[in-house]
Amino acid sequence: MSTLPYELFKASSTPVYYYDIELLQRTLESLVKAASIDHRFKVHYAVKANARPEILRIIQAAGLGADCVSGGEIKEALTAGFQADRIVFAGVGKTDREIMLGLSHDIECFNVESTAELTVINDLALKTGTVANIAFRVNPEIDAHTHRYITTGLSENKFGIAMSQLDEAIDMTHGMKGINLVGLHFHIGSQLTQLDSYRLLCDRINELVDRYRKKGVEFRLINVGGGLGIDYDNPDGTPIPDFRSYFNLFKDSLYLDNNQEIHFELGRAVVAQCGSLITRVLYIKETPTRRFAIVDAGMTDLIRPALYQAHHVIQSVSDDICERPVMTYDVVGPICESSDVFATDESLPELRRGDILAIRSAGAYGEIMASQYNLRKLPGAIFNNQ
Ligand code: LLP
């Protein structure tokens, strides 16, 4: 069991996100150490996972770059201290304004997802007298064996350029004075718990790099995306993901040159385990068939269970829980949606009104995906280093 600061929670209004900054720092140390096995490895943090300024600043200080998917994220990353030449910009629907923002800061790389987008970036770069470094995001047609909503590397997904259309896209860049083609980008999906799919990805990358080298096209940069999963079932047993095996796999399986950079874009693996959603029990409601614990957090604060049928460990943190009998609850929120359920048949020490629960592993895609549906307030955050 982790030591969750009950006193801090008691003094806080709920729902609220709690971040264990010490765990974030240990996670970053472990990541940086594991990535240092190869001087070509560069890690960019996927800002979409959690863009809290306090968290971004710590990640920046650890030496990571930033992987952004909107103008808002680019601005937040810059504010947190990330250098523009360590910011990459991905996304299938970049607006002109967002592209201009990236160009005006001369960001490290645009990850381009279609030839239509390529043309617009070139036009805007020419208009502003700049040159955009770009990498083509390739759809490698590899199944990541994760939830279908977070699978991105299959032909039915909207992401990336089909391998069969890559020749045409690369040819187009030749006449474009606003474009500097520097690399290829891939991302097969999120919450990958088996590394096998990454091995397939490496094979695919080796094939492509080889094929284009024979045609005289060299890529200085290969971006393998993110997706390393975390242990949602046992946050205390595996607080830090196995970064070593992850980076070793790429070291062993990617056959690249000494001067090629390899970029990783990790989000969840960096921040998920350091965050918990803290909530209070409002009511216990027993119906003829179920026993509900109705809590003050809802799907507006943490949408993952409703959207991906995700299960997050729920831990009771009230002080006398050891003395209480274990009972079974459906833990539900107050939102007017039947999908507003955090867990069904969850075994917990008997719950009473006012008890505090921690919904664990919520540091990634938790607070950042919160909405104000039902005109609720956004949850806000507390930290253990306050
Ligand atoms: N790079 C690209 C191009 C991505 O699309 C993503 C995530 C990442 C990197 C970072 O992936 P990570 O290392 O965090 O798995 N809201 C969903 C996850 C959506 C992921 C979207 N793309 C969830 O709560 O599970």
Side-chain angles (χ1 to χ4, degrees):
M1 278 254 186
S2 79
T3 45
L4 291 167
Y6 179 48
E7 295 303 321
L8 176 65
F9 299 163
K10 267 207 299 200
S12 302
S13 62
T14 49
V16 70
Y17 273 87
Y18 162 69
Y19 294 107
D20 180 345
I21 296 301
E22 194 253 334
L23 176 57
L24 173 62
Q25 261 148 353
R26 279 197 289 129
T27 306
L28 286 164
E29 274 163 32
S30 159
L31 182 157
V32 168
K33 187 164 174 227
S36 71
I37 50 158
D38 193 314
H39 70 278
R40 300 169 301 176
F41 287 5
K42 298 226 158 72
V43 183
H44 290 72
Y45 167 64
V47 173
K48 64 176 83 65
N50 190 317
R52 251 214 173 262
E54 298 87 342
I55 288 184
L56 287 184
R57 282 198 294 269
I58 292 169
I59 294 172
Q60 188 277 330
L64 276 64
D67 157 36
C68 299
V69 289
S70 70
E73 286 189 0
I74 294 176
K75 284 186 193 156
E76 206 61 44
L78 288 167
T79 306
F82 288 93
Q83 299 292 315
D85 64 2
R86 298 291 316 280
I87 293 179
V88 298
F89 182 20
V92 292
K94 302 177 189 76
T95 64
D96 292 20
R97 195 187 277 256
E98 290 174 317
I99 294 168
M100 292 290 278
L101 179 72
L103 289 172
S104 68
H105 286 278
D106 195 16
I107 59 167
E108 183 174 11
C109 192
F110 289 81
N111 294 329
V112 174
E113 307 231 10
S114 64
T115 48
E117 180 194 332
L118 179 73
T119 307
V120 172
I121 296 179
N122 184 47
D123 288 349
L124 293 174
L126 291 178
K127 244 186 230 162
T128 51
T130 53
V131 178
N133 287 329
I134 71 125
F136 280 121
R137 174 161 179 184
V138 180
N139 185 328
E141 285 168 38
I142 288 173
D143 194 344
H145 300 291
T146 182
H147 191 281
R148 68 190 177 91
Y149 286 5
I150 48 179
T151 290
T152 50
L154 292 176
S155 54
E156 67 256 36
N157 300 130
K158 68 180 173 183
F159 301 101
I161 294 175
M163 286 181 292
S164 58
Q165 295 174 321
L166 191 55
D167 277 353
E168 183 198 332
I170 291 176
D171 285 348
M172 272 178 77
T173 63
H174 294 324
M176 291 182 161
K177 297 227 160 19
I179 296 292
N180 179 26
L181 174 62
V182 294
L184 295 179
H185 174 226
F186 305 83
H187 174 74
I188 54 175
S190 199
Q191 184 51 18
L192 271 68
T193 49
Q194 289 157 12
L195 295 180
D196 289 353
S197 306
Y198 287 125
R199 208 161 276 127
L200 295 176
L201 174 64
C202 289
D203 293 346
R204 182 75 86 235
I205 295 174
N206 292 334
E207 275 164 36
L208 283 173
V209 168
D210 201 43
R211 184 190 325 153
Y212 282 100
R213 179 163 292 151
K214 286 185 182 133
K215 294 182 180 202
V217 183
E218 293 285 343
F219 300 108
R220 169 171 69 70
L221 183 166
I222 297 294
N223 184 331
V224 300
L228 177 62
I230 60 131
D231 190 349
Y232 279 100
D233 297 328
N234 191 3
D236 292 325
T238 326
I240 298 178
D242 183 359
F243 291 119
R244 250 176 59 154
S245 303
Y246 172 75
F247 287 111
N248 279 339
L249 181 147
F250 287 94
K251 187 164 176 62
D252 294 343
S253 312
L254 265 187
Y255 306 132
L256 298 179
D257 283 353
N258 224 6
N259 58 352
Q260 274 174 313
E261 279 182 24
I262 302 160
H263 287 194
F264 299 85
E265 297 173 336
L266 296 176
R268 185 188 321 262
V270 182
V271 288
Q273 296 293 30
C274 80
S276 296
L277 174 59
I278 309 304
T279 181
R280 278 189 172 82
V281 176
L282 289 173
Y283 305 107
I284 303 299
K285 170 171 168 176
E286 301 212 19
T287 71
T289 53
R290 315 291 306 168
R291 184 183 301 114
F292 294 102
I294 302 170
V295 298
D296 63 4
M299 62 191 283
T300 50
D301 307 297
L302 176 65
I303 202 174
R304 302 196 69 261
L307 194 55
Y308 317 112
Q309 298 75 50
H311 180 258
H312 291 244
V313 167
I314 301 179
Q315 188 179 338
S316 176
V317 284
S318 301
D319 38 16
D320 64 341
I321 47 168
C322 302
E323 294 141 36
R324 303 195 198 174
V326 171
M327 299 180 74
T328 306
Y329 295 93
D330 288 0
V331 180
V332 301
I335 312 298
C336 304
E337 298 277 343
S338 296
S339 57
D340 185 25
V341 175
F342 287 117
T344 46
D345 293 322
E346 188 82 4
S347 295
L348 286 162
E350 184 180 30
L351 294 176
R352 298 176 198 142
R353 176 174 169 80
D355 282 348
I356 295 175
L357 301 177
I359 305 179
R360 305 289 307 276
S361 314
Y365 307 109
E367 188 183 2
I368 195 73
M369 292 179 79
S371 80
Q372 293 198 290
Y373 180 43
N374 287 192
L375 271 191
R376 286 163 61 81
K377 270 188 13 195
L378 291 172
I382 52 176
F383 304 85
N384 66 343
N385 65 343
Q386 277 169 333

